[in-house]
Amino acid sequence: MLISSPPEDVIVVGGGLAGICAAIAAVEKGASSVTVLDRHCGGGASAISGGIVYAGGGTRTQREAGYGEDTADNMFRYLREEVDFAAVDEETLRRFCDESVARMEWLESHGAKFGGPLCPYRTSYPKPEYGLLYTGSEKAYPYCEKATPAPRGHRTNGKGSGAMKYTGGDLWRPLFESALKMGVKFQPATRVQAFIRDDVDGHVKGVVYRCFYHSTGLRAKLYKWFAETGKEYEPHLRPLARLLNGVAELIWKYGAKHVTSLESRAVILAAGGFIRNKSMLQESCPNAAGLATHGTSTTGDDGSGIKLGQSAGGAVSHLDRVSGWRFMYAPEAFLEGVIVGPGGERVGPEDHYGAAVCGNMIQHSGGKGYLILDSTQWSKVKSNVDEQTHSLWRMLVRYLLAFGHKKATTLEALAMSFKIDPGKLKYTVKEYNDAIANKQPDPVRKQDQYRSPIVSPPFYGIDISIRDDGLMMVPAITLGGLRVDGRSGMVLNQAGQPPPRLYAAGRTAAGVCSNNYVTGLSLADCVFSGKRAGEHAAHSLPEVRDSRPREALPVSTYNDLPSVL
């Protein structure tokens, strides 16, 4: 059955952080009717993320923590080096940095809460009492020579959810509630299948989607429960998540038969990335082999938003870029060791961000890596576990210290147990120690605060090689997407021209973190690109709007939606 409704001003496809920010911004700029269509019941991957937003330039949280001297230009100089060759021009990156403080204030005006002291140690999983942290490679070479290091990871205040206490839901939820209060209509359990195209010039003027006939019916409620519960367990209980998602998919297959066309004056695609689409990964990201295509992603990250944009002539960019994370901190003392490949050579600086460490292993050692420490460093790690870790990460570290390592009285014996070249490992460690003793720079330029000699037996090793399952899996996200105009967020075609009325945001678009990623940068880009698209879409609306009576979609509140966030 195909039912037509009067045109909306703006339709947003995807109800994660980027989509909700787009909807709010559109209403603020004058759009009188905004509808968000989401395949589950909102949140997306953002809601099961760590809830860390990358921001700088002297935010309130930075000022309160004593780092208010950070400037937008300083942030720009760091990010220009970090995200080099991203799909954004210098003007867009400067705008991203210049507006960073204002965006944080905007988030807070819609209910998001930030604040708290600086975390005194290196981690991507801070304890709840900390609200600010270093999340990238700001202190590492060569970044520290390009810009003054400053902490820019703003952790959302909240209780969090799941075994890792992810606070992404505490960021998304108040924004979602704010959007509903502003009159944004939300349609859950909905999958957009195609665009409505203008018969004359072919521009996008709406969507065709499939949903449950009654969004409050039993089948819809069961679908939402299984889908949302499955999403909750994605980061840490993959088999259970797979089972729950499978049941949700069966309910959808046999229960969702209601097809609706909805016209609009602008469409914003914010439907996530494509880490769950195996065929797209095999075609575009050969480097994704061995990485876990789950973790902080959902079944919605199947590339459907990107493919929709391509169906309207949209071009893509950076689809070959994927970010996998091998974190070896906290405790920080892990960074005092050396990471070597099977040949015994170091694969890169140990103090770089976890995605860079993972990338170095892929590029230089076939995805293999081994962390080598001596007994002094090992003891330091053990003494800092309770102070610097919590929840599931603490359990992982305790597993590594108890069972997940190898031990030997000599470096040669340790090398043999891992099938590492023993002579080369001994030379690598000697070179590392000699540089410390002679007060010379580290051979791969690791910073002094993470350097200590590897001299005291017994010696310890942990296999940190890339794998896609188990306790030591390497989670990943895709970074590329639809090419968009830097000023508006409109999707660009192969000729660099925007198809009228079509926008993309979040991981559906190739944005600030399309080349490299550090913790918090994707959520920050979701806010930036979503807000940009919503504002421009509303600003570009025709002055004369349809005056026909409007058949309103059901308006839900967050409490109406079965969810475990």
Side-chain angles (χ1 to χ4, degrees):
M1 176 170 53
L2 188 64
I3 297 177
S4 297
S5 301
E8 296 287 292
D9 280 346
V10 178
I11 292 175
V12 181
V13 181
L17 184 61
I20 294 302
C21 286
I24 292 173
V27 173
E28 287 181 334
K29 288 297 181 180
S32 61
S33 57
V34 178
T35 294
V36 176
L37 307 175
D38 191 77
R39 81 182 278 156
H40 296 318
C41 40
S46 302
I48 56 171
S49 72
I52 296 173
V53 178
Y54 197 91
T59 67
R60 177 183 57 79
T61 301
Q62 284 182 311
R63 295 195 304 271
E64 291 175 352
Y67 287 85
E69 73 279 1
D70 188 31
T71 65
D73 183 66
N74 189 49
M75 178 182 175
F76 169 78
R77 283 185 277 115
Y78 166 68
L79 285 179
R80 182 171 57 183
E81 186 75 16
E82 181 68 77
V83 305
D84 192 26
F85 300 111
V88 294
D89 55 25
E90 186 167 304
E91 177 186 351
T92 303
L93 184 59
R94 278 201 176 276
R95 177 182 172 186
F96 176 81
C97 298
D98 290 344
E99 297 175 356
S100 184
V101 173
R103 279 197 307 277
M104 293 299 291
E105 294 171 350
W106 182 78
L107 289 174
E108 291 180 315
S109 73
H110 288 284
K113 295 181 180 180
F114 301 93
L118 174 70
C119 184
Y121 52 85
R122 185 84 179 270
T123 184
S124 285
Y125 305 104
K127 289 184 176 181
E129 58 264 35
Y130 299 118
L132 185 66
L133 59 156
Y134 284 92
T135 59
S137 300
E138 294 89 353
K139 292 183 176 181
Y141 176 86
Y143 309 101
C144 61
E145 296 188 351
K146 303 293 182 179
T148 303
R152 301 190 185 98
H154 291 63
R155 182 183 183 273
T156 308
N157 292 162
K159 296 180 180 179
S161 64
M164 295 291 282
K165 293 300 179 185
Y166 295 108
T167 58
D170 297 308
L171 170 63
W172 172 83
R173 190 179 299 111
L175 296 173
F176 177 75
E177 295 285 7
S178 180
L180 295 181
K181 291 176 182 177
M182 296 171 69
V184 172
K185 294 181 287 291
F186 181 74
Q187 179 68 45
T190 300
R191 301 189 188 184
V192 175
Q193 297 179 313
F195 289 128
I196 304 171
R197 307 288 292 275
D198 186 270
D199 293 335
V200 178
D201 60 11
H203 73 255
V204 172
K205 65 172 188 176
V207 297
V208 176
Y209 63 85
R210 183 181 172 194
C211 65
F212 290 97
Y213 185 74
H214 295 292
S215 63
T216 56
L218 178 60
R219 285 181 178 178
K221 287 182 177 180
L222 286 173
Y223 170 75
K224 294 171 190 175
W225 188 88
F226 278 102
E228 288 299 292
T229 307
K231 182 173 72 174
E232 175 71 8
Y233 290 110
E234 287 286 2
H236 45 80
L237 284 175
R238 185 183 183 186
L240 179 57
R242 186 188 296 121
L243 174 63
L244 293 167
N245 289 331
V247 174
E249 199 63 24
L250 282 174
I251 296 171
W252 172 265
K253 180 178 179 181
Y254 293 106
K257 299 180 180 179
H258 187 59
V259 180
T260 298
S261 68
L262 187 61
E263 292 192 7
S264 68
R265 296 174 174 83
V267 176
I268 300 173
L269 300 174
F274 65 97
I275 195 68
R276 295 300 188 92
N277 189 317
K278 290 184 178 180
S279 62
M280 284 185 70
L281 281 173
Q282 290 172 355
E283 179 182 350
S284 304
C285 300
N287 287 341
L291 301 176
T293 56
H294 56 293
T296 52
S297 66
T298 74
T299 54
D301 290 295
D302 60 358
S304 57
I306 296 172
K307 287 185 175 295
L308 272 172
Q310 288 179 297
S311 74
V316 293
S317 178
H318 289 67
L319 292 191
D320 62 329
R321 297 298 298 165
V322 62
S323 180
W325 316 306
R326 171 56 82 210
F327 293 121
M328 288 314 303
Y329 51 81
E332 270 190 315
F334 273 133
L335 299 179
E336 296 182 27
V338 295
I339 298 175
V340 300
E345 305 94 346
R346 289 169 75 183
V347 300
E350 293 78 16
D351 60 343
H352 276 201
Y353 179 69
V357 171
C358 180
N360 286 335
M361 288 194 293
I362 292 173
Q363 183 177 357
H364 300 301
S365 59
K368 301 289 185 180
Y370 308 91
L371 176 65
I372 309 297
L373 306 102
D374 75 351
S375 60
T376 302
Q377 295 163 339
W378 193 256
S379 296
K380 189 183 294 187
V381 170
K382 294 174 69 174
S383 66
N384 289 336
V385 171
D386 288 340
E387 178 186 355
Q388 297 185 7
T389 66
H390 73 115
S391 65
L392 192 62
W393 188 258
R394 179 178 295 176
M395 294 173 58
L396 173 61
V397 173
R398 290 204 177 281
Y399 162 77
L400 294 175
L401 294 175
F403 307 106
H405 69 273
K406 293 184 179 181
K407 175 181 175 182
T409 55
T410 66
L411 286 171
E412 292 90 341
L414 185 64
M416 293 295 289
S417 69
F418 283 120
K419 298 182 179 180
I420 300 172
D421 183 321
K424 187 60 178 177
L425 176 62
K426 187 174 182 180
Y427 173 80
T428 295
V429 172
K430 181 180 184 302
E431 184 182 41
Y432 177 72
N433 292 337
D434 287 348
I436 295 173
N438 297 327
K439 297 182 179 181
Q440 295 177 342
D442 180 61
V444 297
R445 301 302 295 267
K446 179 166 70 174
Q447 296 300 287
D448 289 345
Q449 71 179 100
Y450 299 122
R451 297 169 67 195
S452 64
I454 302 174
V455 293
S456 304
F459 300 97
Y460 297 83
I462 299 174
D463 184 349
I464 63 170
S465 301
I466 294 169
R467 61 204 72 173
D468 64 1
D469 215 338
L471 291 175
M472 291 292 284
M473 69 177 183
V474 178
I477 61 171
T478 53
L479 302 179
L482 295 167
R483 287 180 58 201
V484 295
D485 175 65
R487 295 185 179 183
S488 65
M490 297 184 75
V491 174
L492 299 175
N493 59 24
Q494 294 291 350
Q497 299 299 316
R501 307 180 185 182
L502 182 61
Y503 299 79
R507 296 286 57 77
T508 303
V512 171
C513 57
S514 55
N515 189 54
N516 286 324
Y517 169 84
V518 298
T519 296
L521 197 56
S522 182
L523 291 186
D525 192 33
C526 283
V527 180
F528 170 71
S529 61
K531 190 170 182 287
R532 174 183 62 187
E535 289 174 346
H536 193 273
H539 179 73
S540 301
L541 291 174
E543 290 296 325
V544 180
R545 293 188 169 88
D546 197 319
S547 59
R548 290 181 295 165
R550 191 173 301 276
E551 179 187 335
L553 292 171
V555 177
S556 306
T557 66
Y558 185 78
N559 292 330
D560 293 330
L561 306 177
S563 177
V564 291
L565 287 174

